Amino acid sequence: QVQVMESGGGLVQEGESLRLSCTASGLTLGDYHMAWFRQAPGKEREKISCFSWSGARIYYADSVKARFTISRDNAKNTLYLQMNSLKPEDTATYYCAADRSRFCSALEQDYWGQGTQVTVSS
């Protein structure tokens, strides 16, 4: 059974940093296109960053560009999202997703994690 799991969320102050991690059991992240999404209360889910299976393609939403960095450690089977200069508007539940064939799809992903909460206070 495949499980995707996020960790690393928490409560931070504006301007601080957090690093989210995404691990998986039952699948090798290096075989999948990976993505981070977030959803704030009352708002639609937002695609914020994607990492292709080969690492050759990386995507960032304008809202996080130059502040967030996506990376993957194949040896640890872990995807990361380094979030710097956090703002209150970054407050949301962050989700990791994996898809075998679609890069950066906003509509469909093969597997989703349960989410980790990030709260940024001003």
Side-chain angles (χ1 to χ4, degrees), residues 24-40:
S25 60
L27 67 82
T28 300
L29 297 189
D31 293 336
Y32 285 75
H33 301 303
M34 302 299 298
W36 287 99
F37 294 79
R38 68 184 181 188
Q39 188 165 22

Side-chain angles (χ1 to χ4, degrees), residues 8-29:
L11 172 63
V12 296
Q13 293 191 332
E14 186 173 7
E16 293 185 339
S17 299
L18 275 176
R19 188 178 76 163
L20 304 184
S21 298
C22 171
T23 59
S25 60
L27 67 82
T28 300
L29 297 189

